[in-house]
Coordinates of all heavy atoms in Angstrom, one line a residue:
L1 N 56.5 -89.7 -76.1 CA 55.6 -88.8 -76.9 C 54.7 -89.7 -77.8 O 53.5 -89.4 -77.8 CB 56.5 -87.9 -77.7 CG 55.8 -87.0 -78.7 CD1 54.9 -86.0 -78.0 CD2 56.7 -86.3 -79.6
Y2 N 55.3 -90.6 -78.5 CA 54.5 -91.4 -79.4 C 53.4 -92.2 -78.5 O 52.3 -92.4 -79.0 CB 55.3 -92.4 -80.1 CG 56.2 -91.8 -81.2 CD1 57.5 -92.0 -81.2 CD2 55.6 -91.0 -82.2 CE1 58.3 -91.4 -82.2 CE2 56.4 -90.4 -83.2 CZ 57.7 -90.6 -83.2 OH 58.5 -90.0 -84.2
Y3 N 53.8 -92.7 -77.4 CA 52.9 -93.4 -76.5 C 51.7 -92.6 -76.2 O 50.5 -93.0 -76.2 CB 53.6 -93.9 -75.3 CG 52.7 -94.6 -74.3 CD1 52.2 -95.9 -74.6 CD2 52.2 -94.0 -73.2 CE1 51.4 -96.6 -73.7 CE2 51.4 -94.7 -72.3 CZ 50.9 -96.0 -72.6 OH 50.1 -96.6 -71.8
R4 N 52.0 -91.3 -75.8 CA 50.9 -90.4 -75.4 C 49.9 -90.1 -76.5 O 48.8 -89.9 -76.3 CB 51.4 -89.1 -74.8 CG 52.1 -89.3 -73.5 CD 52.6 -88.0 -72.9 NE 53.4 -88.3 -71.7 CZ 54.3 -87.5 -71.3 NH1 54.6 -86.4 -72.0 NH2 55.1 -87.8 -70.3
L5 N 50.5 -90.2 -77.7 CA 49.7 -89.9 -78.9 C 49.0 -91.2 -79.4 O 48.3 -91.2 -80.4 CB 50.5 -89.3 -80.0 CG 51.1 -88.0 -79.7 CD1 52.1 -87.6 -80.9 CD2 50.0 -86.9 -79.6
R6 N 49.3 -92.3 -78.7 CA 48.7 -93.6 -79.1 C 49.3 -94.1 -80.4 O 48.6 -94.8 -81.1 CB 47.2 -93.6 -79.0 CG 46.7 -93.4 -77.6 CD 45.2 -93.5 -77.6 NE 44.8 -93.2 -76.2 CZ 43.7 -93.4 -75.7 NH1 42.8 -94.1 -76.4 NH2 43.4 -93.1 -74.5
K7 N 50.5 -93.7 -80.7 CA 51.1 -94.1 -81.9 C 52.1 -95.2 -81.5 O 53.3 -95.0 -81.5 CB 51.8 -93.0 -82.6 CG 50.9 -91.9 -83.2 CD 51.6 -90.9 -83.9 CE 50.6 -89.9 -84.5 NZ 51.2 -89.0 -85.5
Y8 N 51.6 -96.4 -81.2 CA 52.3 -97.5 -80.6 C 53.4 -98.0 -81.5 O 54.5 -98.4 -81.1 CB 51.4 -98.5 -80.1 CG 50.4 -98.0 -79.1 CD1 49.0 -98.2 -79.3 CD2 50.7 -97.3 -78.0 CE1 48.1 -97.8 -78.4 CE2 49.8 -96.8 -77.1 CZ 48.5 -97.0 -77.3 OH 47.5 -96.6 -76.4
S9 N 53.1 -98.1 -82.8 CA 54.0 -98.6 -83.8 C 55.3 -97.7 -83.8 O 56.4 -98.2 -83.8 CB 53.4 -98.7 -85.1 OG 54.3 -99.2 -86.1
E10 N 55.1 -96.4 -83.8 CA 56.2 -95.4 -83.8 C 57.0 -95.5 -82.5 O 58.2 -95.4 -82.5 CB 55.7 -94.0 -84.1 CG 55.2 -93.7 -85.5 CD 53.8 -94.1 -85.7 OE1 53.1 -94.7 -84.8 OE2 53.2 -93.6 -86.7
A11 N 56.3 -95.7 -81.4 CA 56.9 -95.8 -80.1 C 57.8 -97.1 -80.1 O 58.9 -97.1 -79.6 CB 55.9 -95.8 -79.0
L12 N 57.2 -98.2 -80.6 CA 57.9 -99.4 -80.7 C 59.2 -99.2 -81.5 O 60.3 -99.7 -81.1 CB 57.1 -100.5 -81.3 CG 57.6 -101.9 -81.4 CD1 58.0 -102.5 -80.1 CD2 56.6 -102.8 -82.1
N13 N 59.2 -98.6 -82.6 CA 60.4 -98.3 -83.4 C 61.4 -97.5 -82.7 O 62.6 -97.7 -82.7 CB 60.0 -97.6 -84.7 CG 59.3 -98.5 -85.7 OD1 59.5 -99.8 -85.6 ND2 58.5 -98.0 -86.6
S14 N 60.9 -96.5 -81.9 CA 61.8 -95.7 -81.1 C 62.5 -96.6 -80.0 O 63.8 -96.4 -79.8 CB 61.0 -94.6 -80.4 OG 61.8 -93.8 -79.6
F15 N 61.8 -97.5 -79.4 CA 62.4 -98.3 -78.4 C 63.4 -99.3 -79.0 O 64.4 -99.7 -78.5 CB 61.4 -99.1 -77.6 CG 60.6 -98.1 -76.7 CD1 59.3 -98.1 -76.7 CD2 61.3 -97.2 -75.8 CE1 58.5 -97.3 -75.8 CE2 60.6 -96.4 -75.0 CZ 59.2 -96.4 -75.0
R16 N 63.1 -99.8 -80.2 CA 64.0 -100.7 -81.0 C 65.3 -100.0 -81.3 O 66.4 -100.5 -81.2 CB 63.3 -101.2 -82.2 CG 62.3 -102.3 -82.0 CD 61.7 -102.7 -83.3 NE 60.7 -103.7 -83.1 CZ 59.7 -103.9 -84.0 NH1 59.6 -103.2 -85.1 NH2 58.8 -104.8 -83.8
D17 N 65.1 -98.7 -81.7 CA 66.3 -97.9 -82.0 C 67.2 -97.8 -80.7 O 68.4 -97.8 -80.8 CB 65.9 -96.5 -82.5 CG 65.4 -96.5 -83.9 OD1 65.5 -97.6 -84.6 OD2 64.7 -95.5 -84.3
R18 N 66.5 -97.6 -79.6 CA 67.3 -97.4 -78.4 C 68.0 -98.7 -78.0 O 69.2 -98.7 -77.6 CB 66.3 -97.1 -77.2 CG 67.0 -96.9 -75.9 CD 66.1 -96.4 -74.8 NE 66.9 -96.0 -73.7 CZ 66.6 -96.4 -72.5 NH1 65.6 -97.1 -72.2 NH2 67.4 -96.1 -71.5
L19 N 67.4 -99.9 -78.3 CA 68.1 -101.2 -78.1 C 69.3 -101.3 -78.9 O 70.4 -101.7 -78.5 CB 67.1 -102.3 -78.4 CG 66.3 -102.9 -77.4 CD1 65.5 -104.1 -77.9 CD2 67.1 -103.3 -76.2
M20 N 69.2 -100.9 -80.2 CA 70.4 -100.9 -81.1 C 71.5 -100.0 -80.6 O 72.7 -100.4 -80.6 CB 70.0 -100.5 -82.5 CG 69.2 -101.6 -83.2 SD 69.0 -101.4 -85.0 CE 68.5 -99.7 -85.1
L21 N 71.2 -98.9 -80.1 CA 72.2 -98.0 -79.5 C 72.8 -98.6 -78.2 O 74.0 -98.5 -78.1 CB 71.6 -96.6 -79.2 CG 71.3 -95.7 -80.3 CD1 70.5 -94.5 -79.9 CD2 72.5 -95.4 -81.1
L22 N 72.0 -99.2 -77.4 CA 72.5 -99.8 -76.2 C 73.4 -101.0 -76.6 O 74.5 -101.2 -76.0 CB 71.4 -100.4 -75.3 CG 70.6 -99.3 -74.6 CD1 69.3 -100.0 -73.9 CD2 71.4 -98.7 -73.5
E23 N 73.0 -101.8 -77.6 CA 73.9 -102.9 -78.0 C 75.2 -102.4 -78.5 O 76.2 -103.0 -78.3 CB 73.1 -103.7 -79.0 CG 72.0 -104.5 -78.4 CD 71.1 -105.2 -79.5 OE1 71.3 -104.9 -80.7 OE2 70.2 -105.9 -79.1
R24 N 75.1 -101.3 -79.2 CA 76.3 -100.8 -79.9 C 77.3 -100.1 -78.9 O 78.5 -100.3 -79.0 CB 75.9 -99.9 -81.0 CG 77.1 -99.4 -81.8 CD 76.6 -98.5 -82.9 NE 77.1 -99.1 -84.1 CZ 76.9 -98.5 -85.3 NH1 76.2 -97.5 -85.4 NH2 77.3 -99.1 -86.4
F25 N 76.8 -99.4 -78.0 CA 77.6 -98.5 -77.2 C 77.7 -98.8 -75.7 O 78.6 -98.4 -75.0 CB 77.2 -97.1 -77.3 CG 77.4 -96.6 -78.7 CD1 76.3 -96.3 -79.5 CD2 78.6 -96.4 -79.3 CE1 76.4 -95.8 -80.8 CE2 78.8 -96.0 -80.6 CZ 77.6 -95.7 -81.4
D26 N 76.6 -99.5 -75.2 CA 76.5 -99.6 -73.7 C 76.1 -101.0 -73.3 O 75.1 -101.1 -72.5 CB 75.5 -98.5 -73.3 CG 75.7 -98.1 -71.8 OD1 76.7 -98.5 -71.2 OD2 74.8 -97.5 -71.3
H27 N 76.8 -102.0 -73.8 CA 76.3 -103.3 -73.7 C 76.3 -103.9 -72.3 O 75.8 -105.0 -72.0 CB 77.1 -104.2 -74.6 CG 78.6 -104.3 -74.3 ND1 79.4 -103.3 -74.7 CD2 79.3 -105.1 -73.6 CE1 80.6 -103.6 -74.3 NE2 80.6 -104.7 -73.6
R28 N 76.8 -103.2 -71.3 CA 76.8 -103.8 -69.9 C 75.8 -103.1 -69.0 O 75.7 -103.5 -67.8 CB 78.2 -103.6 -69.3 CG 79.2 -104.6 -70.0 CD 80.5 -104.5 -69.4 NE 81.2 -103.4 -70.3 CZ 82.3 -102.8 -70.0 NH1 83.0 -103.1 -68.9 NH2 82.8 -101.9 -70.8
Q29 N 75.0 -102.2 -69.5 CA 74.0 -101.6 -68.7 C 72.7 -102.4 -68.8 O 71.7 -102.0 -69.4 CB 73.8 -100.1 -69.1 CG 75.0 -99.3 -68.9 CD 75.4 -99.2 -67.5 OE1 74.6 -99.1 -66.6 NE2 76.7 -99.2 -67.2
Y30 N 72.6 -103.5 -68.1 CA 71.5 -104.4 -68.2 C 70.2 -103.7 -67.7 O 69.1 -104.1 -68.1 CB 71.8 -105.7 -67.4 CG 72.9 -106.5 -68.0 CD1 74.1 -106.7 -67.4 CD2 72.7 -107.0 -69.3 CE1 75.1 -107.4 -67.9 CE2 73.8 -107.8 -69.9 CZ 75.0 -107.9 -69.2 OH 76.0 -108.7 -69.8
E31 N 70.3 -102.8 -66.7 CA 69.1 -102.1 -66.3 C 68.4 -101.4 -67.4 O 67.2 -101.4 -67.5 CB 69.4 -101.1 -65.1 CG 70.1 -101.7 -63.9 CD 71.7 -101.7 -64.2 OE1 72.2 -100.8 -64.8 OE2 72.3 -102.6 -63.6
D32 N 69.2 -100.7 -68.2 CA 68.7 -100.0 -69.4 C 68.0 -101.0 -70.4 O 67.0 -100.7 -71.0 CB 69.8 -99.2 -70.1 CG 70.3 -98.0 -69.2 OD1 69.5 -97.6 -68.3 OD2 71.4 -97.6 -69.4
F33 N 68.7 -102.1 -70.6 CA 68.1 -103.1 -71.5 C 66.8 -103.6 -70.9 O 65.8 -103.7 -71.7 CB 69.0 -104.3 -71.7 CG 70.1 -104.1 -72.7 CD1 71.4 -103.9 -72.3 CD2 69.8 -104.3 -74.0 CE1 72.4 -103.7 -73.3 CE2 70.8 -104.1 -75.0 CZ 72.1 -103.8 -74.6
A34 N 66.7 -103.9 -69.6 CA 65.5 -104.4 -69.0 C 64.4 -103.4 -69.2 O 63.3 -103.8 -69.5 CB 65.8 -104.7 -67.5
E35 N 64.7 -102.2 -68.9 CA 63.6 -101.1 -69.0 C 63.1 -101.0 -70.4 O 61.9 -100.9 -70.7 CB 64.2 -99.8 -68.5 CG 63.2 -98.7 -68.6 CD 63.8 -97.4 -68.1 OE1 64.6 -97.4 -67.2 OE2 63.4 -96.3 -68.6
T36 N 64.1 -101.0 -71.4 CA 63.7 -100.9 -72.8 C 62.9 -102.1 -73.3 O 61.8 -101.9 -73.9 CB 64.9 -100.7 -73.7 OG1 65.7 -99.6 -73.2 CG2 64.5 -100.5 -75.1
Y37 N 63.3 -103.3 -72.9 CA 62.5 -104.5 -73.3 C 61.1 -104.4 -72.6 O 60.1 -104.8 -73.2 CB 63.2 -105.8 -72.9 CG 64.2 -106.2 -73.9 CD1 65.5 -106.2 -73.6 CD2 63.8 -106.7 -75.1 CE1 66.5 -106.7 -74.6 CE2 64.7 -107.1 -76.1 CZ 66.0 -107.1 -75.8 OH 66.9 -107.5 -76.8
D38 N 61.0 -103.9 -71.4 CA 59.7 -103.8 -70.7 C 58.8 -102.9 -71.5 O 57.6 -103.1 -71.7 CB 59.9 -103.3 -69.3 CG 58.6 -103.3 -68.5 OD1 58.0 -104.4 -68.3 OD2 58.2 -102.2 -68.1
R39 N 59.4 -101.8 -71.9 CA 58.6 -100.8 -72.7 C 58.2 -101.4 -74.1 O 57.1 -101.1 -74.5 CB 59.3 -99.5 -72.9 CG 59.5 -98.8 -71.6 CD 60.2 -97.5 -71.7 NE 60.3 -96.8 -70.4 CZ 60.9 -95.7 -70.2 NH1 61.4 -95.0 -71.2 NH2 60.9 -95.1 -69.0
I40 N 59.0 -102.1 -74.7 CA 58.7 -102.8 -75.9 C 57.5 -103.8 -75.7 O 56.6 -103.8 -76.5 CB 59.9 -103.5 -76.5 CG1 60.9 -102.5 -77.1 CG2 59.5 -104.5 -77.6 CD1 62.3 -103.1 -77.5
G41 N 57.6 -104.5 -74.6 CA 56.5 -105.4 -74.3 C 55.2 -104.7 -74.1 O 54.2 -105.1 -74.5
H42 N 55.3 -103.6 -73.5 CA 54.1 -102.8 -73.2 C 53.5 -102.3 -74.6 O 52.3 -102.3 -74.7 CB 54.4 -101.6 -72.3 CG 53.2 -100.8 -71.9 ND1 52.3 -101.3 -71.0 CD2 52.8 -99.6 -72.2 CE1 51.3 -100.4 -70.8 NE2 51.6 -99.4 -71.5
M43 N 54.3 -101.9 -75.5 CA 53.8 -101.4 -76.8 C 53.2 -102.6 -77.5 O 52.1 -102.5 -78.1 CB 55.0 -100.9 -77.7 CG 55.6 -99.6 -77.2 SD 54.4 -98.2 -76.9 CE 54.2 -98.3 -75.1
Y44 N 53.8 -103.8 -77.5 CA 53.2 -104.9 -78.2 C 51.9 -105.3 -77.5 O 50.9 -105.6 -78.2 CB 54.2 -106.2 -78.1 CG 55.2 -106.2 -79.1 CD1 56.5 -106.4 -78.8 CD2 54.9 -106.1 -80.5 CE1 57.5 -106.5 -79.8 CE2 55.9 -106.2 -81.4 CZ 57.2 -106.4 -81.1 OH 58.1 -106.5 -82.1
E45 N 51.8 -105.1 -76.2 CA 50.6 -105.4 -75.5 C 49.5 -104.5 -76.0 O 48.3 -104.9 -76.2 CB 50.8 -105.3 -74.0 CG 49.7 -105.9 -73.2 CD 50.1 -105.9 -71.7 OE1 51.3 -105.8 -71.3 OE2 49.2 -106.0 -70.9
K46 N 49.8 -103.2 -76.1 CA 48.8 -102.2 -76.5 C 48.4 -102.5 -78.0 O 47.2 -102.2 -78.3 CB 49.4 -100.8 -76.5 CG 49.6 -100.2 -75.1 CD 48.2 -99.9 -74.5 CE 48.3 -99.2 -73.3 NZ 47.0 -98.9 -72.7
M47 N 49.3 -103.1 -78.8 CA 48.9 -103.4 -80.1 C 48.3 -104.8 -80.3 O 48.0 -105.2 -81.4 CB 50.2 -103.3 -81.0 CG 50.8 -102.0 -81.0 SD 52.6 -101.9 -81.7 CE 52.4 -102.6 -83.3
K48 N 48.0 -105.4 -79.1 CA 47.4 -106.7 -79.1 C 48.2 -107.8 -79.7 O 47.7 -108.8 -80.2 CB 46.0 -106.7 -79.8 CG 45.1 -105.6 -79.3 CD 44.6 -105.9 -77.9 CE 43.5 -104.9 -77.6 NZ 43.5 -104.5 -76.2
H49 N 49.5 -107.7 -79.6 CA 50.5 -108.7 -80.0 C 51.0 -109.4 -78.8 O 52.2 -109.2 -78.4 CB 51.6 -108.1 -80.8 CG 51.2 -107.5 -82.1 ND1 51.8 -107.6 -83.3 CD2 50.2 -106.6 -82.4 CE1 51.3 -107.0 -84.2 NE2 50.2 -106.3 -83.7
D50 N 50.2 -110.2 -78.1 CA 50.5 -110.8 -76.8 C 51.7 -111.7 -76.8 O 52.5 -111.7 -75.8 CB 49.3 -111.5 -76.3 CG 48.1 -110.6 -76.0 OD1 48.4 -109.4 -75.8 OD2 47.0 -111.0 -76.0
D51 N 51.9 -112.5 -77.8 CA 53.0 -113.4 -77.9 C 54.4 -112.6 -77.9 O 55.3 -112.9 -77.2 CB 53.0 -114.3 -79.1 CG 51.9 -115.4 -78.9 OD1 51.4 -115.6 -77.8 OD2 51.5 -115.9 -80.0
Q52 N 54.4 -111.6 -78.7 CA 55.6 -110.8 -78.8 C 55.8 -110.0 -77.5 O 56.9 -109.8 -77.1 CB 55.5 -109.8 -80.0 CG 55.7 -110.6 -81.3 CD 54.9 -109.9 -82.4 OE1 53.8 -109.5 -82.2 NE2 55.6 -109.8 -83.6
A53 N 54.7 -109.6 -76.9 CA 54.8 -108.9 -75.6 C 55.4 -109.8 -74.5 O 56.3 -109.4 -73.8 CB 53.4 -108.4 -75.1
R54 N 55.0 -111.0 -74.5 CA 55.5 -112.0 -73.5 C 57.0 -112.2 -73.7 O 57.8 -112.3 -72.8 CB 54.8 -113.3 -73.5 CG 53.5 -113.3 -72.7 CD 52.9 -114.7 -72.6 NE 52.4 -115.2 -73.8 CZ 51.2 -114.9 -74.3 NH1 50.4 -114.1 -73.6 NH2 50.7 -115.4 -75.4
I55 N 57.4 -112.3 -75.0 CA 58.8 -112.5 -75.3 C 59.7 -111.3 -74.8 O 60.7 -111.4 -74.2 CB 59.1 -112.7 -76.8 CG1 58.5 -114.1 -77.2 CG2 60.5 -112.6 -77.2 CD1 58.4 -114.3 -78.7
A56 N 59.2 -110.1 -75.0 CA 59.9 -108.9 -74.6 C 59.9 -108.8 -73.1 O 61.0 -108.4 -72.5 CB 59.2 -107.6 -75.2
Y57 N 58.8 -109.1 -72.4 CA 58.8 -109.1 -70.9 C 59.8 -110.1 -70.4 O 60.5 -109.9 -69.4 CB 57.4 -109.4 -70.4 CG 56.4 -108.2 -70.6 CD1 55.1 -108.5 -71.0 CD2 56.8 -106.9 -70.5 CE1 54.2 -107.5 -71.2 CE2 55.9 -105.9 -70.7 CZ 54.6 -106.2 -71.0 OH 53.7 -105.1 -71.2
R58 N 59.8 -111.3 -71.0 CA 60.8 -112.3 -70.5 C 62.2 -111.8 -70.7 O 63.1 -112.0 -69.8 CB 60.5 -113.6 -71.3 CG 61.1 -114.8 -70.7 CD 60.8 -116.1 -71.4 NE 59.3 -116.3 -71.6 CZ 58.7 -116.5 -72.8 NH1 59.5 -116.6 -73.9 NH2 57.4 -116.6 -72.9
E59 N 62.5 -111.2 -71.8 CA 63.8 -110.6 -72.0 C 64.1 -109.5 -71.0 O 65.3 -109.5 -70.5 CB 63.9 -110.0 -73.4 CG 65.3 -109.7 -73.9 CD 66.1 -111.0 -74.2 OE1 65.6 -112.0 -74.6 OE2 67.3 -110.9 -73.9
A60 N 63.1 -108.7 -70.6 CA 63.3 -107.7 -69.6 C 63.7 -108.4 -68.2 O 64.6 -107.9 -67.6 CB 62.1 -106.9 -69.4
M61 N 63.1 -109.5 -67.9 CA 63.4 -110.2 -66.7 C 64.8 -110.8 -66.7 O 65.5 -110.7 -65.7 CB 62.3 -111.3 -66.4 CG 61.0 -110.7 -66.0 SD 59.7 -112.0 -65.8 CE 60.5 -113.3 -64.9
M62 N 65.2 -111.3 -67.9 CA 66.5 -111.9 -68.0 C 67.6 -110.8 -67.8 O 68.6 -111.0 -67.2 CB 66.6 -112.6 -69.3 CG 65.8 -113.9 -69.4 SD 65.8 -114.8 -71.0 CE 67.3 -114.4 -71.7
M63 N 67.3 -109.7 -68.4 CA 68.3 -108.6 -68.3 C 68.4 -108.1 -66.9 O 69.5 -107.7 -66.4 CB 67.9 -107.4 -69.3 CG 68.1 -107.8 -70.7 SD 69.9 -108.0 -71.1 CE 69.8 -109.1 -72.5
E64 N 67.2 -108.0 -66.2 CA 67.2 -107.6 -64.8 C 68.1 -108.5 -64.0 O 68.8 -108.1 -63.1 CB 65.8 -107.5 -64.3 CG 65.7 -107.1 -62.9 CD 64.3 -107.1 -62.3 OE1 63.6 -108.2 -62.6 OE2 63.9 -106.2 -61.7
Q65 N 68.0 -109.8 -64.2 CA 68.7 -110.8 -63.5 C 70.2 -110.7 -63.7 O 71.0 -111.0 -62.8 CB 68.2 -112.2 -63.7 CG 66.8 -112.4 -63.2 CD 66.2 -113.7 -63.6 OE1 66.8 -114.5 -64.4 NE2 65.1 -114.1 -63.1
K66 N 70.6 -110.2 -64.9 CA 72.0 -110.1 -65.2 C 72.6 -108.8 -64.5 O 73.8 -108.7 -64.4 CB 72.2 -109.9 -66.7 CG 72.1 -111.2 -67.4 CD 72.3 -111.0 -68.9 CE 72.2 -112.4 -69.7 NZ 72.5 -112.2 -71.1
S67 N 71.7 -107.9 -64.2 CA 72.1 -106.6 -63.6 C 72.8 -106.8 -62.2 O 72.4 -107.6 -61.4 CB 70.9 -105.7 -63.4 OG 71.2 -104.6 -62.6
T68 N 73.8 -106.1 -62.0 CA 74.5 -106.1 -60.7 C 73.7 -105.5 -59.6 O 73.9 -105.7 -58.4 CB 75.9 -105.4 -60.8 OG1 75.6 -104.0 -61.2 CG2 76.8 -106.1 -61.7
Q69 N 72.7 -104.7 -60.0 CA 71.8 -104.0 -59.0 C 70.6 -104.9 -58.7 O 69.7 -104.5 -57.9 CB 71.3 -102.7 -59.6 CG 72.5 -101.7 -59.8 CD 72.0 -100.4 -60.4 OE1 70.8 -100.2 -60.6 NE2 72.9 -99.6 -60.7
F70 N 70.4 -106.1 -59.3 CA 69.3 -106.9 -59.0 C 69.3 -107.5 -57.6 O 70.3 -108.1 -57.2 CB 69.2 -108.0 -60.1 CG 68.1 -109.0 -59.9 CD1 66.8 -108.5 -60.0 CD2 68.3 -110.3 -59.7 CE1 65.7 -109.4 -59.9 CE2 67.2 -111.2 -59.6 CZ 65.9 -110.7 -59.7
D71 N 68.2 -107.2 -56.9 CA 68.1 -107.7 -55.5 C 67.3 -109.1 -55.6 O 66.1 -109.1 -55.8 CB 67.4 -106.7 -54.7 CG 67.2 -107.2 -53.2 OD1 67.7 -108.3 -52.9 OD2 66.5 -106.5 -52.5
R72 N 68.0 -110.2 -55.4 CA 67.4 -111.5 -55.6 C 66.4 -111.8 -54.5 O 65.6 -112.7 -54.6 CB 68.5 -112.5 -55.7 CG 69.4 -112.3 -56.9 CD 70.2 -113.5 -57.2 NE 71.3 -113.2 -58.2 CZ 71.1 -112.7 -59.4 NH1 70.0 -112.3 -59.8 NH2 72.2 -112.6 -60.2
S73 N 66.4 -111.0 -53.4 CA 65.4 -111.3 -52.3 C 64.1 -110.6 -52.6 O 63.1 -111.0 -52.0 CB 66.0 -110.8 -51.0 OG 66.1 -109.4 -51.1
S74 N 64.0 -109.7 -53.6 CA 62.7 -109.1 -53.9 C 62.2 -109.6 -55.2 O 63.0 -110.0 -56.1 CB 62.9 -107.6 -53.8 OG 63.7 -107.2 -54.8
P75 N 60.9 -109.5 -55.5 CA 60.4 -110.0 -56.8 C 60.8 -109.1 -57.9 O 61.1 -107.9 -57.7 CB 58.9 -110.0 -56.6 CG 58.6 -109.1 -55.4 CD 59.9 -109.1 -54.6
S76 N 60.9 -109.6 -59.1 CA 61.2 -108.8 -60.2 C 60.2 -107.8 -60.5 O 59.0 -108.0 -60.4 CB 61.4 -109.8 -61.4 OG 61.4 -109.0 -62.6
K77 N 60.6 -106.6 -60.8 CA 59.6 -105.6 -61.2 C 59.0 -105.8 -62.5 O 58.0 -105.2 -62.9 CB 60.2 -104.2 -61.0 CG 61.3 -103.8 -62.0 CD 61.8 -102.4 -61.8 CE 62.9 -102.0 -62.7 NZ 63.3 -100.6 -62.4
Y78 N 59.6 -106.7 -63.3 CA 59.1 -107.1 -64.6 C 58.2 -108.3 -64.6 O 57.7 -108.7 -65.6 CB 60.2 -107.2 -65.6 CG 61.0 -105.9 -65.7 CD1 62.3 -105.9 -65.2 CD2 60.5 -104.8 -66.2 CE1 63.1 -104.7 -65.2 CE2 61.2 -103.6 -66.2 CZ 62.5 -103.6 -65.7 OH 63.2 -102.4 -65.8
Q79 N 58.0 -108.9 -63.4 CA 57.1 -110.1 -63.4 C 55.6 -109.8 -63.4 O 54.9 -110.7 -63.5 CB 57.4 -110.9 -62.1 CG 58.6 -111.8 -62.2 CD 58.8 -112.6 -61.0 OE1 58.6 -112.1 -59.9 NE2 59.2 -113.8 -61.1
Q80 N 55.3 -108.6 -63.2 CA 53.9 -108.2 -63.1 C 53.1 -108.4 -64.4 O 51.9 -108.3 -64.4 CB 53.8 -106.8 -62.5 CG 54.5 -105.8 -63.4 CD 54.5 -104.4 -62.7 OE1 53.5 -103.9 -62.3 NE2 55.7 -103.9 -62.5
H81 N 53.8 -108.6 -65.5 CA 53.1 -108.7 -66.8 C 52.6 -110.1 -67.0 O 53.2 -111.1 -66.8 CB 54.0 -108.2 -67.9 CG 54.4 -106.8 -67.8 ND1 53.5 -105.8 -67.9 CD2 55.6 -106.3 -67.4 CE1 54.2 -104.6 -67.7 NE2 55.4 -104.9 -67.4

């Protein structure tokens, strides 16, 4: 919702809140972490915070690699950034 309204800062806060919930309750669902970090990176990118976006995208890739569902024969879906 915030993204569609171009309220990137609010969207970023929402994704950070999601990370905190994942860390607290669902720490083994690396796919969820990867997706959330990817979205955080996208928000930073929209806000022109490229260094922070790269850090978030890198974290998404690391979480994807920890996932049991990660197919090592195919490229990371988070490498495109």
Side-chain angles (χ1 to χ4, degrees):
L1 175 68
Y2 290 123
Y3 176 76
R4 290 184 190 150
L5 297 173
R6 296 183 184 197
K7 295 185 176 189
Y8 303 125
S9 180
E10 288 88 346
L12 181 60
N13 287 335
S14 177
F15 291 128
R16 286 181 182 153
D17 289 345
R18 183 170 187 231
L19 269 184
M20 287 192 311
L21 288 172
L22 287 171
E23 288 170 355
R24 184 176 238 183
F25 299 111
D26 204 11
H27 62 277
R28 287 177 274 169
Q29 296 299 321
Y30 294 113
E31 305 87 29
D32 293 336
F33 277 103
E35 181 181 328
T36 304
Y37 275 113
D38 185 65
R39 291 181 180 181
I40 287 172
H42 188 67
M43 292 305 104
Y44 277 131
E45 195 172 340
K46 288 290 190 182
M47 297 165 61
K48 308 290 187 214
H49 296 226
D50 295 335
D51 290 340
Q52 289 150 314
R54 276 190 291 277
I55 291 168
Y57 289 140
R58 196 173 310 125
E59 194 68 34
M61 287 173 48
M62 288 172 34
M63 290 295 154
E64 181 186 42
Q65 290 171 355
K66 288 182 178 182
S67 168
T68 57
Q69 297 177 7
F70 180 59
D71 178 6
R72 300 197 190 303
S73 65
S74 63
S76 168
K77 66 181 178 179
Y78 302 112
Q79 277 183 323
Q80 56 189 304
H81 301 290

